[in-house]
PDB file of all heavy atoms in Angstrom:
ATOM      1  N   ALA A 420      20.116  -7.558  14.451  1.00  0.00           N
ATOM      2  CA  ALA A 420      21.397  -7.777  13.769  1.00  0.00           C
ATOM      3  C   ALA A 420      22.515  -8.049  14.770  1.00  0.00           C
ATOM      4  O   ALA A 420      23.340  -8.951  14.574  1.00  0.00           O
ATOM      5  CB  ALA A 420      21.734  -6.565  12.907  1.00  0.00           C
ATOM      6  N   ILE A 421      22.562  -7.275  15.851  1.00  0.00           N
ATOM      7  CA  ILE A 421      23.614  -7.443  16.860  1.00  0.00           C
ATOM      8  C   ILE A 421      23.514  -8.802  17.546  1.00  0.00           C
ATOM      9  O   ILE A 421      24.528  -9.428  17.876  1.00  0.00           O
ATOM     10  CB  ILE A 421      23.535  -6.304  17.901  1.00  0.00           C
ATOM     11  CG1 ILE A 421      23.908  -4.969  17.243  1.00  0.00           C
ATOM     12  CG2 ILE A 421      24.445  -6.585  19.088  1.00  0.00           C
ATOM     13  CD1 ILE A 421      23.668  -3.760  18.121  1.00  0.00           C
ATOM     14  N   SER A 422      22.280  -9.272  17.729  1.00  0.00           N
ATOM     15  CA  SER A 422      22.075 -10.561  18.403  1.00  0.00           C
ATOM     16  C   SER A 422      22.297 -11.749  17.476  1.00  0.00           C
ATOM     17  O   SER A 422      22.178 -12.903  17.912  1.00  0.00           O
ATOM     18  CB  SER A 422      20.659 -10.627  18.974  1.00  0.00           C
ATOM     19  OG  SER A 422      19.704 -10.678  17.923  1.00  0.00           O
ATOM     20  N   GLY A 423      22.585 -11.479  16.223  1.00  0.00           N
ATOM     21  CA  GLY A 423      22.771 -12.566  15.271  1.00  0.00           C
ATOM     22  C   GLY A 423      21.468 -13.222  14.850  1.00  0.00           C
ATOM     23  O   GLY A 423      21.467 -14.344  14.335  1.00  0.00           O
ATOM     24  N   GLY A 424      20.365 -12.535  15.070  1.00  0.00           N
ATOM     25  CA  GLY A 424      19.062 -13.056  14.665  1.00  0.00           C
ATOM     26  C   GLY A 424      18.394 -13.944  15.692  1.00  0.00           C
ATOM     27  O   GLY A 424      17.269 -14.398  15.486  1.00  0.00           O
ATOM     28  N   VAL A 425      19.075 -14.211  16.809  1.00  0.00           N
ATOM     29  CA  VAL A 425      18.517 -15.097  17.839  1.00  0.00           C
ATOM     30  C   VAL A 425      18.291 -14.305  19.126  1.00  0.00           C
ATOM     31  O   VAL A 425      19.241 -13.868  19.774  1.00  0.00           O
ATOM     32  CB  VAL A 425      19.448 -16.294  18.121  1.00  0.00           C
ATOM     33  CG1 VAL A 425      18.843 -17.183  19.203  1.00  0.00           C
ATOM     34  CG2 VAL A 425      19.706 -17.085  16.846  1.00  0.00           C
ATOM     35  N   ILE A 426      17.032 -14.108  19.466  1.00  0.00           N
ATOM     36  CA  ILE A 426      16.665 -13.419  20.706  1.00  0.00           C
ATOM     37  C   ILE A 426      15.721 -14.342  21.467  1.00  0.00           C
ATOM     38  O   ILE A 426      14.690 -14.763  20.933  1.00  0.00           O
ATOM     39  CB  ILE A 426      15.972 -12.073  20.420  1.00  0.00           C
ATOM     40  CG1 ILE A 426      16.867 -11.191  19.537  1.00  0.00           C
ATOM     41  CG2 ILE A 426      15.627 -11.352  21.712  1.00  0.00           C
ATOM     42  CD1 ILE A 426      16.203  -9.906  19.086  1.00  0.00           C
ATOM     43  N   GLU A 427      16.055 -14.653  22.699  1.00  0.00           N
ATOM     44  CA  GLU A 427      15.281 -15.642  23.442  1.00  0.00           C
ATOM     45  C   GLU A 427      14.927 -15.139  24.835  1.00  0.00           C
ATOM     46  O   GLU A 427      15.455 -14.126  25.301  1.00  0.00           O
ATOM     47  CB  GLU A 427      16.070 -16.957  23.549  1.00  0.00           C
ATOM     48  CG  GLU A 427      16.378 -17.606  22.206  1.00  0.00           C
ATOM     49  CD  GLU A 427      17.233 -18.854  22.354  1.00  0.00           C
ATOM     50  OE1 GLU A 427      18.014 -18.918  23.334  1.00  0.00           O
ATOM     51  OE2 GLU A 427      17.125 -19.744  21.504  1.00  0.00           O
ATOM     52  N   GLY A 428      14.036 -15.891  25.481  1.00  0.00           N
ATOM     53  CA  GLY A 428      13.696 -15.626  26.872  1.00  0.00           C
ATOM     54  C   GLY A 428      13.017 -14.295  27.102  1.00  0.00           C
ATOM     55  O   GLY A 428      12.219 -13.822  26.286  1.00  0.00           O
ATOM     56  N   LEU A 429      13.364 -13.664  28.214  1.00  0.00           N
ATOM     57  CA  LEU A 429      12.755 -12.399  28.599  1.00  0.00           C
ATOM     58  C   LEU A 429      13.071 -11.302  27.587  1.00  0.00           C
ATOM     59  O   LEU A 429      12.233 -10.431  27.318  1.00  0.00           O
ATOM     60  CB  LEU A 429      13.251 -11.995  29.993  1.00  0.00           C
ATOM     61  CG  LEU A 429      12.560 -10.791  30.636  1.00  0.00           C
ATOM     62  CD1 LEU A 429      11.067 -11.055  30.796  1.00  0.00           C
ATOM     63  CD2 LEU A 429      13.202 -10.472  31.982  1.00  0.00           C
ATOM     64  N   ALA A 430      14.267 -11.363  27.025  1.00  0.00           N
ATOM     65  CA  ALA A 430      14.647 -10.370  26.014  1.00  0.00           C
ATOM     66  C   ALA A 430      13.716 -10.446  24.806  1.00  0.00           C
ATOM     67  O   ALA A 430      13.328  -9.423  24.238  1.00  0.00           O
ATOM     68  CB  ALA A 430      16.094 -10.593  25.580  1.00  0.00           C
ATOM     69  N   ASN A 431      13.343 -11.662  24.434  1.00  0.00           N
ATOM     70  CA  ASN A 431      12.442 -11.824  23.292  1.00  0.00           C
ATOM     71  C   ASN A 431      11.050 -11.287  23.608  1.00  0.00           C
ATOM     72  O   ASN A 431      10.377 -10.733  22.731  1.00  0.00           O
ATOM     73  CB  ASN A 431      12.357 -13.295  22.896  1.00  0.00           C
ATOM     74  CG  ASN A 431      11.580 -13.494  21.609  1.00  0.00           C
ATOM     75  OD1 ASN A 431      11.863 -12.868  20.595  1.00  0.00           O
ATOM     76  ND2 ASN A 431      10.579 -14.359  21.649  1.00  0.00           N
ATOM     77  N   CYS A 432      10.616 -11.456  24.850  1.00  0.00           N
ATOM     78  CA  CYS A 432       9.315 -10.907  25.251  1.00  0.00           C
ATOM     79  C   CYS A 432       9.312  -9.384  25.099  1.00  0.00           C
ATOM     80  O   CYS A 432       8.341  -8.798  24.604  1.00  0.00           O
ATOM     81  CB  CYS A 432       9.000 -11.290  26.697  1.00  0.00           C
ATOM     82  SG  CYS A 432       8.695 -13.049  26.943  1.00  0.00           S
ATOM     83  N   PHE A 433      10.400  -8.756  25.511  1.00  0.00           N
ATOM     84  CA  PHE A 433      10.507  -7.305  25.387  1.00  0.00           C
ATOM     85  C   PHE A 433      10.594  -6.902  23.914  1.00  0.00           C
ATOM     86  O   PHE A 433       9.998  -5.905  23.491  1.00  0.00           O
ATOM     87  CB  PHE A 433      11.731  -6.807  26.153  1.00  0.00           C
ATOM     88  CG  PHE A 433      11.849  -5.312  26.202  1.00  0.00           C
ATOM     89  CD1 PHE A 433      10.802  -4.524  26.672  1.00  0.00           C
ATOM     90  CD2 PHE A 433      13.010  -4.682  25.779  1.00  0.00           C
ATOM     91  CE1 PHE A 433      10.909  -3.141  26.714  1.00  0.00           C
ATOM     92  CE2 PHE A 433      13.126  -3.303  25.808  1.00  0.00           C
ATOM     93  CZ  PHE A 433      12.073  -2.532  26.280  1.00  0.00           C
ATOM     94  N   PHE A 434      11.330  -7.689  23.135  1.00  0.00           N
ATOM     95  CA  PHE A 434      11.455  -7.431  21.696  1.00  0.00           C
ATOM     96  C   PHE A 434      10.080  -7.467  21.031  1.00  0.00           C
ATOM     97  O   PHE A 434       9.723  -6.572  20.255  1.00  0.00           O
ATOM     98  CB  PHE A 434      12.379  -8.473  21.067  1.00  0.00           C
ATOM     99  CG  PHE A 434      12.599  -8.284  19.587  1.00  0.00           C
ATOM    100  CD1 PHE A 434      13.649  -7.507  19.117  1.00  0.00           C
ATOM    101  CD2 PHE A 434      11.760  -8.892  18.665  1.00  0.00           C
ATOM    102  CE1 PHE A 434      13.857  -7.332  17.751  1.00  0.00           C
ATOM    103  CE2 PHE A 434      11.958  -8.723  17.295  1.00  0.00           C
ATOM    104  CZ  PHE A 434      13.008  -7.942  16.846  1.00  0.00           C
ATOM    105  N   LEU A 435       9.302  -8.496  21.329  1.00  0.00           N
ATOM    106  CA  LEU A 435       7.975  -8.627  20.729  1.00  0.00           C
ATOM    107  C   LEU A 435       7.015  -7.553  21.238  1.00  0.00           C
ATOM    108  O   LEU A 435       6.109  -7.125  20.511  1.00  0.00           O
ATOM    109  CB  LEU A 435       7.410 -10.018  21.007  1.00  0.00           C
ATOM    110  CG  LEU A 435       8.119 -11.177  20.289  1.00  0.00           C
ATOM    111  CD1 LEU A 435       7.532 -12.511  20.717  1.00  0.00           C
ATOM    112  CD2 LEU A 435       8.026 -11.013  18.773  1.00  0.00           C
ATOM    113  N   ALA A 436       7.217  -7.113  22.474  1.00  0.00           N
ATOM    114  CA  ALA A 436       6.389  -6.023  23.001  1.00  0.00           C
ATOM    115  C   ALA A 436       6.646  -4.740  22.216  1.00  0.00           C
ATOM    116  O   ALA A 436       5.707  -4.003  21.866  1.00  0.00           O
ATOM    117  CB  ALA A 436       6.680  -5.810  24.481  1.00  0.00           C
ATOM    118  N   LEU A 437       7.917  -4.476  21.917  1.00  0.00           N
ATOM    119  CA  LEU A 437       8.251  -3.304  21.107  1.00  0.00           C
ATOM    120  C   LEU A 437       7.716  -3.455  19.683  1.00  0.00           C
ATOM    121  O   LEU A 437       7.258  -2.479  19.078  1.00  0.00           O
ATOM    122  CB  LEU A 437       9.769  -3.100  21.078  1.00  0.00           C
ATOM    123  CG  LEU A 437      10.422  -2.623  22.380  1.00  0.00           C
ATOM    124  CD1 LEU A 437      11.932  -2.508  22.203  1.00  0.00           C
ATOM    125  CD2 LEU A 437       9.837  -1.284  22.821  1.00  0.00           C
ATOM    126  N   ALA A 438       7.773  -4.678  19.161  1.00  0.00           N
ATOM    127  CA  ALA A 438       7.238  -4.926  17.821  1.00  0.00           C
ATOM    128  C   ALA A 438       5.728  -4.696  17.794  1.00  0.00           C
ATOM    129  O   ALA A 438       5.182  -4.154  16.826  1.00  0.00           O
ATOM    130  CB  ALA A 438       7.564  -6.351  17.382  1.00  0.00           C
ATOM    131  N   THR A 439       5.052  -5.095  18.871  1.00  0.00           N
ATOM    132  CA  THR A 439       3.610  -4.863  18.973  1.00  0.00           C
ATOM    133  C   THR A 439       3.309  -3.371  19.021  1.00  0.00           C
ATOM    134  O   THR A 439       2.363  -2.886  18.383  1.00  0.00           O
ATOM    135  CB  THR A 439       3.045  -5.547  20.231  1.00  0.00           C
ATOM    136  OG1 THR A 439       3.335  -6.952  20.183  1.00  0.00           O
ATOM    137  CG2 THR A 439       1.540  -5.347  20.331  1.00  0.00           C
TER     138      THR A 439
END
Side-chain angles (χ1 to χ4, degrees):
I421 292 172
S422 68
V425 179
I426 304 174
E427 298 176 331
L429 188 60
N431 187 52
C432 292
F433 186 54
F434 181 90
L435 291 176
L437 289 178
T439 302

